[in-house]
Amino acid sequence: DGGITQSPKYLFRKEGQNVTLSCEQNLNHDAMYWYRQDPGQGLRLIYYSQIVNDFQKGDIAEGYSVSREKKESFPLTVTSAQKNPTAFYLCASSPQGVRGYTFGSGTRLTVV
Amino acid sequence: KQEVTQIPAALSVPEGENLVLNCSFTDSAIYNLQWFRQDPGKGLTSLLLIQSSQREQTSGRLNASLDKSSGRSTLYIAASQPGDSATYLCAVTTSGGYNKLIFGAGTRLAVHP
């Protein structure tokens, strides 16, 4: 079955540590996205990528970095510069053009 | 700046009731509107996608309508069941250079037997 795989499901980060969240899709979608979800709030866009080797900042990119070396993969690094990283992170993809999204199952990141 | 609002924030109903969830957006220049379901600690499942040229979409017991001019969408759930308990999120795709979704905060639905 085609879909999006996010790993790990749970991740714990120590203060000052960088961590990387994985997102892989086999839907042959061109565009990929990272969203952050905090309790009681809607999803907020961190980064997005429309094609390989190109990505753009979303609304809350500070403290995060991404890469898009392969069409299937869009990893997100949460750096030590992100002061409040505890949240639920969702990866999504969509075909080119204005069409519906497909979401992964999410990674819950907690700072310990 | 596009803003999406969902009312009510939470809803608790007995099984069998017909429900209406509301979504409003401030800028009518949208490409489409999508309703998602999210179970606790899980990702989002797409329920219905309404293109800007459409007025409604139906899937089983779900019906979503779109009124672009007034900036509103409703999700109608017929004959609710306990398995419908989840958070329902509304999102619009803005006009512009890419397929950006802007989300509401969601309606948390509990259907009790």
Side-chain angles (χ1 to χ4, degrees):
Chain A
D1 287 333
I4 299 180
T5 301
Q6 289 188 240
S7 62
K9 188 174 177 64
Y10 299 96
L11 187 57
F12 298 91
R13 193 194 91 167
K14 294 181 181 180
E15 294 283 349
Q17 188 179 42
N18 292 355
V19 291
T20 298
L21 284 60
S22 171
C23 178
E24 303 276 336
Q25 55 103 357
N26 61 4
L27 299 166
N28 200 34
H29 285 173
D30 292 302
M32 296 187 74
Y33 313 82
W34 274 104
Y35 282 87
R36 169 180 171 142
Q37 186 178 33
D38 294 283
Q41 298 188 32
L43 279 67
R44 292 181 291 169
L45 181 65
I46 305 172
Y47 268 98
Y48 66 98
S49 168
Q50 292 181 281
I51 57 173
V52 174
N53 292 323
D54 184 60
F55 49 83
Q56 304 294 330
K57 292 181 179 180
D59 300 318
I60 55 166
E62 185 175 351
Y64 299 98
S65 66
V66 293
S67 63
R68 186 86 186 276
E69 297 176 1
K70 299 186 298 183
K71 187 176 184 178
E72 303 81 19
S73 178
F74 191 41
L76 173 73
T77 296
V78 184
T79 74
S80 57
Q82 172 49 241
K83 298 308 178 187
N84 184 25
T86 295
F88 190 52
Y89 291 86
L90 287 159
C91 178
S93 69
S94 71
Q96 200 55 266
V98 185
R99 304 184 193 178
Y101 278 39
T102 300
F103 278 83
S105 57
T107 293
R108 185 165 300 281
L109 174 62
T110 303
V111 174
V112 296
Chain B
K1 180 184 174 184
Q2 179 73 270
E3 292 183 359
V4 180
T5 303
Q6 291 188 245
I7 295 174
L11 188 60
S12 180
V13 299
E15 181 177 6
E17 280 204 5
N18 299 325
L19 308 172
V20 175
L21 308 183
N22 296 293
C23 172
S24 62
F25 46 94
T26 55
D27 186 348
S28 61
I30 64 170
Y31 283 131
N32 59 42
L33 182 144
Q34 201 163 357
W35 282 94
F36 295 90
R37 169 185 171 135
Q38 186 177 31
D39 293 292
K42 306 291 186 184
L44 275 64
T45 300
S46 180
L47 297 174
L48 292 165
L49 170 67
I50 311 175
Q51 301 292 352
S52 61
S53 58
Q54 298 174 321
R55 294 300 299 262
E56 65 177 349
Q57 284 285 335
T58 298
S59 175
R61 294 181 296 107
L62 305 179
N63 175 276
S65 66
L66 174 64
D67 184 343
K68 264 186 61 175
S69 60
S70 67
R72 294 182 182 181
S73 175
T74 60
L75 178 67
Y76 177 81
I77 303 176
S80 59
Q81 304 170 357
D84 294 330
S85 298
T87 296
Y88 291 82
L89 294 160
C90 165
V92 298
T93 302
T94 62
S95 57
Y98 68 101
N99 192 13
K100 177 180 177 179
L101 275 179
I102 297 178
F103 284 84
T107 293
R108 191 170 63 255
L109 173 65
V111 181
H112 48 87

PDB file of all heavy atoms in Angstrom, chain A residues 27-61:
ATOM      1  N   LEU A  27       4.294   7.421  -2.538  1.00  0.00           N
ATOM      2  CA  LEU A  27       3.122   7.830  -3.314  1.00  0.00           C
ATOM      3  C   LEU A  27       3.498   8.528  -4.612  1.00  0.00           C
ATOM      4  O   LEU A  27       2.626   8.933  -5.367  1.00  0.00           O
ATOM      5  CB  LEU A  27       2.258   8.771  -2.457  1.00  0.00           C
ATOM      6  CG  LEU A  27       1.724   8.155  -1.161  1.00  0.00           C
ATOM      7  CD1 LEU A  27       1.194   9.237  -0.227  1.00  0.00           C
ATOM      8  CD2 LEU A  27       0.641   7.136  -1.485  1.00  0.00           C
ATOM      9  N   ASN A  28       4.793   8.715  -4.819  1.00  0.00           N
ATOM     10  CA  ASN A  28       5.285   9.455  -5.986  1.00  0.00           C
ATOM     11  C   ASN A  28       4.786  10.907  -5.999  1.00  0.00           C
ATOM     12  O   ASN A  28       4.603  11.497  -7.065  1.00  0.00           O
ATOM     13  CB  ASN A  28       4.913   8.757  -7.301  1.00  0.00           C
ATOM     14  CG  ASN A  28       5.797   9.227  -8.453  1.00  0.00           C
ATOM     15  OD1 ASN A  28       6.975   9.527  -8.267  1.00  0.00           O
ATOM     16  ND2 ASN A  28       5.236   9.288  -9.646  1.00  0.00           N
ATOM     17  N   HIS A  29       4.561  11.461  -4.807  1.00  0.00           N
ATOM     18  CA  HIS A  29       4.126  12.841  -4.724  1.00  0.00           C
ATOM     19  C   HIS A  29       5.320  13.779  -4.856  1.00  0.00           C
ATOM     20  O   HIS A  29       6.411  13.514  -4.352  1.00  0.00           O
ATOM     21  CB  HIS A  29       3.444  13.101  -3.377  1.00  0.00           C
ATOM     22  CG  HIS A  29       2.065  12.523  -3.294  1.00  0.00           C
ATOM     23  ND1 HIS A  29       1.321  12.504  -2.130  1.00  0.00           N
ATOM     24  CD2 HIS A  29       1.275  11.960  -4.241  1.00  0.00           C
ATOM     25  CE1 HIS A  29       0.152  11.960  -2.358  1.00  0.00           C
ATOM     26  NE2 HIS A  29       0.109  11.601  -3.632  1.00  0.00           N
ATOM     27  N   ASP A  30       5.085  14.907  -5.532  1.00  0.00           N
ATOM     28  CA  ASP A  30       6.159  15.881  -5.703  1.00  0.00           C
ATOM     29  C   ASP A  30       6.391  16.718  -4.451  1.00  0.00           C
ATOM     30  O   ASP A  30       7.516  17.041  -4.098  1.00  0.00           O
ATOM     31  CB  ASP A  30       5.829  16.818  -6.878  1.00  0.00           C
ATOM     32  CG  ASP A  30       5.871  16.088  -8.210  1.00  0.00           C
ATOM     33  OD1 ASP A  30       6.921  15.521  -8.537  1.00  0.00           O
ATOM     34  OD2 ASP A  30       4.846  16.083  -8.907  1.00  0.00           O
ATOM     35  N   ALA A  31       5.318  17.129  -3.796  1.00  0.00           N
ATOM     36  CA  ALA A  31       5.424  18.066  -2.682  1.00  0.00           C
ATOM     37  C   ALA A  31       5.374  17.338  -1.341  1.00  0.00           C
ATOM     38  O   ALA A  31       4.640  16.366  -1.163  1.00  0.00           O
ATOM     39  CB  ALA A  31       4.292  19.088  -2.748  1.00  0.00           C
ATOM     40  N   MET A  32       6.172  17.848  -0.400  1.00  0.00           N
ATOM     41  CA  MET A  32       6.174  17.310   0.962  1.00  0.00           C
ATOM     42  C   MET A  32       6.205  18.462   1.962  1.00  0.00           C
ATOM     43  O   MET A  32       6.723  19.551   1.650  1.00  0.00           O
ATOM     44  CB  MET A  32       7.357  16.362   1.174  1.00  0.00           C
ATOM     45  CG  MET A  32       7.292  15.122   0.303  1.00  0.00           C
ATOM     46  SD  MET A  32       8.546  13.885   0.669  1.00  0.00           S
ATOM     47  CE  MET A  32       7.921  13.189   2.196  1.00  0.00           C
ATOM     48  N   TYR A  33       5.659  18.194   3.154  1.00  0.00           N
ATOM     49  CA  TYR A  33       5.455  19.257   4.139  1.00  0.00           C
ATOM     50  C   TYR A  33       5.743  18.732   5.552  1.00  0.00           C
ATOM     51  O   TYR A  33       5.534  17.545   5.831  1.00  0.00           O
ATOM     52  CB  TYR A  33       3.997  19.732   4.108  1.00  0.00           C
ATOM     53  CG  TYR A  33       3.436  19.994   2.739  1.00  0.00           C
ATOM     54  CD1 TYR A  33       2.946  18.956   1.952  1.00  0.00           C
ATOM     55  CD2 TYR A  33       3.375  21.292   2.234  1.00  0.00           C
ATOM     56  CE1 TYR A  33       2.423  19.198   0.699  1.00  0.00           C
ATOM     57  CE2 TYR A  33       2.841  21.535   0.976  1.00  0.00           C
ATOM     58  CZ  TYR A  33       2.375  20.489   0.217  1.00  0.00           C
ATOM     59  OH  TYR A  33       1.875  20.739  -1.023  1.00  0.00           O
ATOM     60  N   TRP A  34       6.147  19.652   6.435  1.00  0.00           N
ATOM     61  CA  TRP A  34       6.240  19.356   7.858  1.00  0.00           C
ATOM     62  C   TRP A  34       5.363  20.347   8.618  1.00  0.00           C
ATOM     63  O   TRP A  34       5.460  21.570   8.406  1.00  0.00           O
ATOM     64  CB  TRP A  34       7.674  19.482   8.366  1.00  0.00           C
ATOM     65  CG  TRP A  34       8.476  18.238   8.179  1.00  0.00           C
ATOM     66  CD1 TRP A  34       9.435  18.005   7.250  1.00  0.00           C
ATOM     67  CD2 TRP A  34       8.386  17.050   8.970  1.00  0.00           C
ATOM     68  NE1 TRP A  34       9.959  16.748   7.406  1.00  0.00           N
ATOM     69  CE2 TRP A  34       9.329  16.140   8.459  1.00  0.00           C
ATOM     70  CE3 TRP A  34       7.601  16.659  10.063  1.00  0.00           C
ATOM     71  CZ2 TRP A  34       9.518  14.858   8.988  1.00  0.00           C
ATOM     72  CZ3 TRP A  34       7.794  15.399  10.587  1.00  0.00           C
ATOM     73  CH2 TRP A  34       8.738  14.514  10.060  1.00  0.00           C
ATOM     74  N   TYR A  35       4.524  19.764   9.504  1.00  0.00           N
ATOM     75  CA  TYR A  35       3.661  20.566  10.345  1.00  0.00           C
ATOM     76  C   TYR A  35       3.956  20.253  11.802  1.00  0.00           C
ATOM     77  O   TYR A  35       4.337  19.140  12.162  1.00  0.00           O
ATOM     78  CB  TYR A  35       2.189  20.260  10.072  1.00  0.00           C
ATOM     79  CG  TYR A  35       1.642  20.897   8.829  1.00  0.00           C
ATOM     80  CD1 TYR A  35       1.751  20.271   7.593  1.00  0.00           C
ATOM     81  CD2 TYR A  35       0.992  22.121   8.883  1.00  0.00           C
ATOM     82  CE1 TYR A  35       1.240  20.859   6.447  1.00  0.00           C
ATOM     83  CE2 TYR A  35       0.466  22.719   7.745  1.00  0.00           C
ATOM     84  CZ  TYR A  35       0.599  22.082   6.535  1.00  0.00           C
ATOM     85  OH  TYR A  35       0.091  22.666   5.411  1.00  0.00           O
ATOM     86  N   ARG A  36       3.690  21.242  12.639  1.00  0.00           N
ATOM     87  CA  ARG A  36       3.791  21.052  14.082  1.00  0.00           C
ATOM     88  C   ARG A  36       2.398  21.236  14.670  1.00  0.00           C
ATOM     89  O   ARG A  36       1.646  22.141  14.271  1.00  0.00           O
ATOM     90  CB  ARG A  36       4.747  22.105  14.661  1.00  0.00           C
ATOM     91  CG  ARG A  36       4.735  22.185  16.180  1.00  0.00           C
ATOM     92  CD  ARG A  36       5.691  23.224  16.694  1.00  0.00           C
ATOM     93  NE  ARG A  36       5.492  23.409  18.136  1.00  0.00           N
ATOM     94  CZ  ARG A  36       6.467  23.613  18.995  1.00  0.00           C
ATOM     95  NH1 ARG A  36       7.736  23.681  18.580  1.00  0.00           N
ATOM     96  NH2 ARG A  36       6.198  23.764  20.280  1.00  0.00           N
ATOM     97  N   GLN A  37       2.053  20.378  15.647  1.00  0.00           N
ATOM     98  CA  GLN A  37       0.755  20.477  16.301  1.00  0.00           C
ATOM     99  C   GLN A  37       0.957  20.561  17.805  1.00  0.00           C
ATOM    100  O   GLN A  37       1.585  19.680  18.396  1.00  0.00           O
ATOM    101  CB  GLN A  37      -0.134  19.274  15.956  1.00  0.00           C
ATOM    102  CG  GLN A  37      -1.543  19.396  16.494  1.00  0.00           C
ATOM    103  CD  GLN A  37      -2.424  18.228  16.093  1.00  0.00           C
ATOM    104  OE1 GLN A  37      -1.963  17.099  15.971  1.00  0.00           O
ATOM    105  NE2 GLN A  37      -3.707  18.488  15.857  1.00  0.00           N
ATOM    106  N   ASP A  38       0.420  21.601  18.420  1.00  0.00           N
ATOM    107  CA  ASP A  38       0.432  21.768  19.865  1.00  0.00           C
ATOM    108  C   ASP A  38      -0.982  21.539  20.395  1.00  0.00           C
ATOM    109  O   ASP A  38      -1.956  21.756  19.670  1.00  0.00           O
ATOM    110  CB  ASP A  38       0.940  23.159  20.241  1.00  0.00           C
ATOM    111  CG  ASP A  38       2.402  23.354  19.861  1.00  0.00           C
ATOM    112  OD1 ASP A  38       3.248  22.820  20.598  1.00  0.00           O
ATOM    113  OD2 ASP A  38       2.682  23.990  18.827  1.00  0.00           O
ATOM    114  N   PRO A  39      -1.110  21.126  21.650  1.00  0.00           N
ATOM    115  CA  PRO A  39      -2.435  20.796  22.197  1.00  0.00           C
ATOM    116  C   PRO A  39      -3.438  21.931  22.014  1.00  0.00           C
ATOM    117  O   PRO A  39      -3.146  23.089  22.324  1.00  0.00           O
ATOM    118  CB  PRO A  39      -2.137  20.544  23.676  1.00  0.00           C
ATOM    119  CG  PRO A  39      -0.715  20.112  23.715  1.00  0.00           C
ATOM    120  CD  PRO A  39      -0.029  20.882  22.630  1.00  0.00           C
ATOM    121  N   GLY A  40      -4.611  21.596  21.506  1.00  0.00           N
ATOM    122  CA  GLY A  40      -5.676  22.574  21.359  1.00  0.00           C
ATOM    123  C   GLY A  40      -5.475  23.570  20.231  1.00  0.00           C
ATOM    124  O   GLY A  40      -6.251  24.520  20.104  1.00  0.00           O
ATOM    125  N   GLN A  41      -4.460  23.343  19.414  1.00  0.00           N
ATOM    126  CA  GLN A  41      -4.194  24.271  18.311  1.00  0.00           C
ATOM    127  C   GLN A  41      -4.237  23.542  16.981  1.00  0.00           C
ATOM    128  O   GLN A  41      -4.084  22.326  16.916  1.00  0.00           O
ATOM    129  CB  GLN A  41      -2.820  24.924  18.487  1.00  0.00           C
ATOM    130  CG  GLN A  41      -2.679  25.763  19.737  1.00  0.00           C
ATOM    131  CD  GLN A  41      -1.373  26.522  19.753  1.00  0.00           C
ATOM    132  OE1 GLN A  41      -0.839  26.914  18.707  1.00  0.00           O
ATOM    133  NE2 GLN A  41      -0.841  26.740  20.945  1.00  0.00           N
ATOM    134  N   GLY A  42      -4.415  24.343  15.942  1.00  0.00           N
ATOM    135  CA  GLY A  42      -4.333  23.764  14.613  1.00  0.00           C
ATOM    136  C   GLY A  42      -2.897  23.479  14.228  1.00  0.00           C
ATOM    137  O   GLY A  42      -1.967  23.819  14.950  1.00  0.00           O
ATOM    138  N   LEU A  43      -2.711  22.857  13.081  1.00  0.00           N
ATOM    139  CA  LEU A  43      -1.372  22.557  12.598  1.00  0.00           C
ATOM    140  C   LEU A  43      -0.730  23.816  12.016  1.00  0.00           C
ATOM    141  O   LEU A  43      -1.399  24.614  11.348  1.00  0.00           O
ATOM    142  CB  LEU A  43      -1.440  21.490  11.503  1.00  0.00           C
ATOM    143  CG  LEU A  43      -1.567  20.039  11.949  1.00  0.00           C
ATOM    144  CD1 LEU A  43      -2.899  19.760  12.615  1.00  0.00           C
ATOM    145  CD2 LEU A  43      -1.346  19.110  10.765  1.00  0.00           C
ATOM    146  N   ARG A  44       0.567  23.965  12.273  1.00  0.00           N
ATOM    147  CA  ARG A  44       1.309  25.106  11.732  1.00  0.00           C
ATOM    148  C   ARG A  44       2.452  24.600  10.857  1.00  0.00           C
ATOM    149  O   ARG A  44       3.162  23.675  11.233  1.00  0.00           O
ATOM    150  CB  ARG A  44       1.849  25.976  12.873  1.00  0.00           C
ATOM    151  CG  ARG A  44       0.761  26.694  13.670  1.00  0.00           C
ATOM    152  CD  ARG A  44       1.357  27.541  14.761  1.00  0.00           C
ATOM    153  NE  ARG A  44       1.960  26.743  15.823  1.00  0.00           N
ATOM    154  CZ  ARG A  44       2.716  27.237  16.778  1.00  0.00           C
ATOM    155  NH1 ARG A  44       3.028  28.528  16.783  1.00  0.00           N
ATOM    156  NH2 ARG A  44       3.207  26.454  17.724  1.00  0.00           N
ATOM    157  N   LEU A  45       2.632  25.242   9.713  1.00  0.00           N
ATOM    158  CA  LEU A  45       3.592  24.785   8.713  1.00  0.00           C
ATOM    159  C   LEU A  45       5.009  25.194   9.084  1.00  0.00           C
ATOM    160  O   LEU A  45       5.278  26.374   9.327  1.00  0.00           O
ATOM    161  CB  LEU A  45       3.215  25.374   7.346  1.00  0.00           C
ATOM    162  CG  LEU A  45       4.086  24.983   6.170  1.00  0.00           C
ATOM    163  CD1 LEU A  45       3.978  23.478   5.895  1.00  0.00           C
ATOM    164  CD2 LEU A  45       3.679  25.772   4.930  1.00  0.00           C
ATOM    165  N   ILE A  46       5.933  24.222   9.091  1.00  0.00           N
ATOM    166  CA  ILE A  46       7.330  24.489   9.419  1.00  0.00           C
ATOM    167  C   ILE A  46       8.132  24.708   8.130  1.00  0.00           C
ATOM    168  O   ILE A  46       8.781  25.740   7.955  1.00  0.00           O
ATOM    169  CB  ILE A  46       7.938  23.314  10.211  1.00  0.00           C
ATOM    170  CG1 ILE A  46       7.114  23.012  11.464  1.00  0.00           C
ATOM    171  CG2 ILE A  46       9.390  23.632  10.586  1.00  0.00           C
ATOM    172  CD1 ILE A  46       7.557  21.757  12.184  1.00  0.00           C
ATOM    173  N   TYR A  47       8.151  23.714   7.260  1.00  0.00           N
ATOM    174  CA  TYR A  47       8.856  23.770   5.979  1.00  0.00           C
ATOM    175  C   TYR A  47       8.037  23.006   4.942  1.00  0.00           C
ATOM    176  O   TYR A  47       7.263  22.123   5.280  1.00  0.00           O
ATOM    177  CB  TYR A  47      10.236  23.102   6.078  1.00  0.00           C
ATOM    178  CG  TYR A  47      11.389  24.026   6.424  1.00  0.00           C
ATOM    179  CD1 TYR A  47      11.840  24.117   7.733  1.00  0.00           C
ATOM    180  CD2 TYR A  47      12.029  24.772   5.444  1.00  0.00           C
ATOM    181  CE1 TYR A  47      12.910  24.941   8.070  1.00  0.00           C
ATOM    182  CE2 TYR A  47      13.094  25.600   5.763  1.00  0.00           C
ATOM    183  CZ  TYR A  47      13.532  25.686   7.084  1.00  0.00           C
ATOM    184  OH  TYR A  47      14.585  26.501   7.403  1.00  0.00           O
ATOM    185  N   TYR A  48       8.267  23.347   3.679  1.00  0.00           N
ATOM    186  CA  TYR A  48       7.683  22.569   2.606  1.00  0.00           C
ATOM    187  C   TYR A  48       8.654  22.486   1.443  1.00  0.00           C
ATOM    188  O   TYR A  48       9.554  23.322   1.308  1.00  0.00           O
ATOM    189  CB  TYR A  48       6.341  23.155   2.158  1.00  0.00           C
ATOM    190  CG  TYR A  48       6.425  24.520   1.519  1.00  0.00           C
ATOM    191  CD1 TYR A  48       6.438  24.663   0.135  1.00  0.00           C
ATOM    192  CD2 TYR A  48       6.461  25.670   2.303  1.00  0.00           C
ATOM    193  CE1 TYR A  48       6.508  25.915  -0.455  1.00  0.00           C
ATOM    194  CE2 TYR A  48       6.534  26.926   1.717  1.00  0.00           C
ATOM    195  CZ  TYR A  48       6.544  27.047   0.350  1.00  0.00           C
ATOM    196  OH  TYR A  48       6.614  28.288  -0.228  1.00  0.00           O
ATOM    197  N   SER A  49       8.438  21.485   0.608  1.00  0.00           N
ATOM    198  CA  SER A  49       9.301  21.279  -0.552  1.00  0.00           C
ATOM    199  C   SER A  49       8.420  20.860  -1.728  1.00  0.00           C
ATOM    200  O   SER A  49       7.621  19.943  -1.609  1.00  0.00           O
ATOM    201  CB  SER A  49      10.326  20.174  -0.257  1.00  0.00           C
ATOM    202  OG  SER A  49      10.982  19.762  -1.429  1.00  0.00           O
ATOM    203  N   GLN A  50       8.599  21.529  -2.856  1.00  0.00           N
ATOM    204  CA  GLN A  50       7.785  21.200  -4.034  1.00  0.00           C
ATOM    205  C   GLN A  50       8.512  20.277  -4.997  1.00  0.00           C
ATOM    206  O   GLN A  50       7.869  19.565  -5.769  1.00  0.00           O
ATOM    207  CB  GLN A  50       7.377  22.485  -4.760  1.00  0.00           C
ATOM    208  CG  GLN A  50       6.397  23.340  -3.954  1.00  0.00           C
ATOM    209  CD  GLN A  50       5.988  24.584  -4.703  1.00  0.00           C
ATOM    210  OE1 GLN A  50       6.714  25.568  -4.764  1.00  0.00           O
ATOM    211  NE2 GLN A  50       4.789  24.567  -5.262  1.00  0.00           N
ATOM    212  N   ILE A  51       9.846  20.324  -4.967  1.00  0.00           N
ATOM    213  CA  ILE A  51      10.638  19.442  -5.818  1.00  0.00           C
ATOM    214  C   ILE A  51      11.932  19.084  -5.103  1.00  0.00           C
ATOM    215  O   ILE A  51      12.311  19.734  -4.123  1.00  0.00           O
ATOM    216  CB  ILE A  51      10.980  20.103  -7.175  1.00  0.00           C
ATOM    217  CG1 ILE A  51      11.722  21.434  -6.944  1.00  0.00           C
ATOM    218  CG2 ILE A  51       9.730  20.320  -8.011  1.00  0.00           C
ATOM    219  CD1 ILE A  51      12.233  22.040  -8.227  1.00  0.00           C
ATOM    220  N   VAL A  52      12.613  18.090  -5.630  1.00  0.00           N
ATOM    221  CA  VAL A  52      13.888  17.660  -5.049  1.00  0.00           C
ATOM    222  C   VAL A  52      14.882  18.820  -5.076  1.00  0.00           C
ATOM    223  O   VAL A  52      14.897  19.625  -6.005  1.00  0.00           O
ATOM    224  CB  VAL A  52      14.432  16.444  -5.827  1.00  0.00           C
ATOM    225  CG1 VAL A  52      15.825  16.060  -5.329  1.00  0.00           C
ATOM    226  CG2 VAL A  52      13.491  15.267  -5.681  1.00  0.00           C
ATOM    227  N   ASN A  53      15.682  18.886  -4.005  1.00  0.00           N
ATOM    228  CA  ASN A  53      16.739  19.893  -3.852  1.00  0.00           C
ATOM    229  C   ASN A  53      16.208  21.318  -3.741  1.00  0.00           C
ATOM    230  O   ASN A  53      16.959  22.279  -3.965  1.00  0.00           O
ATOM    231  CB  ASN A  53      17.755  19.808  -4.992  1.00  0.00           C
ATOM    232  CG  ASN A  53      18.564  18.528  -4.929  1.00  0.00           C
ATOM    233  OD1 ASN A  53      18.906  18.056  -3.850  1.00  0.00           O
ATOM    234  ND2 ASN A  53      18.839  17.953  -6.086  1.00  0.00           N
ATOM    235  N   ASP A  54      14.947  21.453  -3.385  1.00  0.00           N
ATOM    236  CA  ASP A  54      14.375  22.778  -3.163  1.00  0.00           C
ATOM    237  C   ASP A  54      13.389  22.712  -2.010  1.00  0.00           C
ATOM    238  O   ASP A  54      12.570  21.787  -1.942  1.00  0.00           O
ATOM    239  CB  ASP A  54      13.663  23.277  -4.413  1.00  0.00           C
ATOM    240  CG  ASP A  54      13.147  24.694  -4.222  1.00  0.00           C
ATOM    241  OD1 ASP A  54      13.981  25.590  -3.963  1.00  0.00           O
ATOM    242  OD2 ASP A  54      11.914  24.896  -4.285  1.00  0.00           O
ATOM    243  N   PHE A  55      13.454  23.683  -1.095  1.00  0.00           N
ATOM    244  CA  PHE A  55      12.507  23.738   0.000  1.00  0.00           C
ATOM    245  C   PHE A  55      12.373  25.186   0.458  1.00  0.00           C
ATOM    246  O   PHE A  55      13.251  26.023   0.203  1.00  0.00           O
ATOM    247  CB  PHE A  55      12.932  22.838   1.168  1.00  0.00           C
ATOM    248  CG  PHE A  55      14.360  23.002   1.613  1.00  0.00           C
ATOM    249  CD1 PHE A  55      14.727  24.011   2.480  1.00  0.00           C
ATOM    250  CD2 PHE A  55      15.331  22.121   1.148  1.00  0.00           C
ATOM    251  CE1 PHE A  55      16.037  24.149   2.884  1.00  0.00           C
ATOM    252  CE2 PHE A  55      16.650  22.251   1.552  1.00  0.00           C
ATOM    253  CZ  PHE A  55      17.010  23.268   2.422  1.00  0.00           C
ATOM    254  N   GLN A  56      11.245  25.473   1.111  1.00  0.00           N
ATOM    255  CA  GLN A  56      10.934  26.833   1.534  1.00  0.00           C
ATOM    256  C   GLN A  56      10.502  26.848   2.991  1.00  0.00           C
ATOM    257  O   GLN A  56       9.907  25.885   3.481  1.00  0.00           O
ATOM    258  CB  GLN A  56       9.809  27.418   0.677  1.00  0.00           C
ATOM    259  CG  GLN A  56      10.079  27.411  -0.813  1.00  0.00           C
ATOM    260  CD  GLN A  56      11.220  28.317  -1.217  1.00  0.00           C
ATOM    261  OE1 GLN A  56      11.466  29.341  -0.560  1.00  0.00           O
ATOM    262  NE2 GLN A  56      11.948  27.946  -2.246  1.00  0.00           N
ATOM    263  N   LYS A  57      10.753  27.957   3.669  1.00  0.00           N
ATOM    264  CA  LYS A  57      10.308  28.116   5.043  1.00  0.00           C
ATOM    265  C   LYS A  57       8.795  28.310   5.101  1.00  0.00           C
ATOM    266  O   LYS A  57       8.220  28.987   4.250  1.00  0.00           O
ATOM    267  CB  LYS A  57      10.992  29.321   5.686  1.00  0.00           C
ATOM    268  CG  LYS A  57      12.491  29.145   5.899  1.00  0.00           C
ATOM    269  CD  LYS A  57      13.084  30.370   6.571  1.00  0.00           C
ATOM    270  CE  LYS A  57      14.590  30.179   6.799  1.00  0.00           C
ATOM    271  NZ  LYS A  57      15.192  31.378   7.462  1.00  0.00           N
ATOM    272  N   GLY A  58       8.203  27.731   6.126  1.00  0.00           N
ATOM    273  CA  GLY A  58       6.804  27.971   6.405  1.00  0.00           C
ATOM    274  C   GLY A  58       6.649  29.080   7.429  1.00  0.00           C
ATOM    275  O   GLY A  58       7.468  29.999   7.512  1.00  0.00           O
ATOM    276  N   ASP A  59       5.624  28.966   8.242  1.00  0.00           N
ATOM    277  CA  ASP A  59       5.305  30.037   9.192  1.00  0.00           C
ATOM    278  C   ASP A  59       6.164  30.017  10.452  1.00  0.00           C
ATOM    279  O   ASP A  59       6.318  31.030  11.115  1.00  0.00           O
ATOM    280  CB  ASP A  59       3.830  29.937   9.586  1.00  0.00           C
ATOM    281  CG  ASP A  59       2.909  30.081   8.388  1.00  0.00           C
ATOM    282  OD1 ASP A  59       3.182  30.958   7.540  1.00  0.00           O
ATOM    283  OD2 ASP A  59       1.933  29.319   8.283  1.00  0.00           O
ATOM    284  N   ILE A  60       6.722  28.841  10.810  1.00  0.00           N
ATOM    285  CA  ILE A  60       7.456  28.726  12.079  1.00  0.00           C
ATOM    286  C   ILE A  60       8.763  27.954  11.873  1.00  0.00           C
ATOM    287  O   ILE A  60       9.062  27.012  12.573  1.00  0.00           O
ATOM    288  CB  ILE A  60       6.585  28.038  13.157  1.00  0.00           C
ATOM    289  CG1 ILE A  60       6.064  26.677  12.665  1.00  0.00           C
ATOM    290  CG2 ILE A  60       5.431  28.924  13.568  1.00  0.00           C
ATOM    291  CD1 ILE A  60       5.505  25.821  13.781  1.00  0.00           C
ATOM    292  N   ALA A  61       9.589  28.386  10.926  1.00  0.00           N
ATOM    293  CA  ALA A  61      10.795  27.645  10.545  1.00  0.00           C
ATOM    294  C   ALA A  61      11.968  27.816  11.501  1.00  0.00           C
ATOM    295  O   ALA A  61      12.917  27.017  11.462  1.00  0.00           O
ATOM    296  CB  ALA A  61      11.213  28.058   9.144  1.00  0.00           C
TER     297      ALA A  61
END
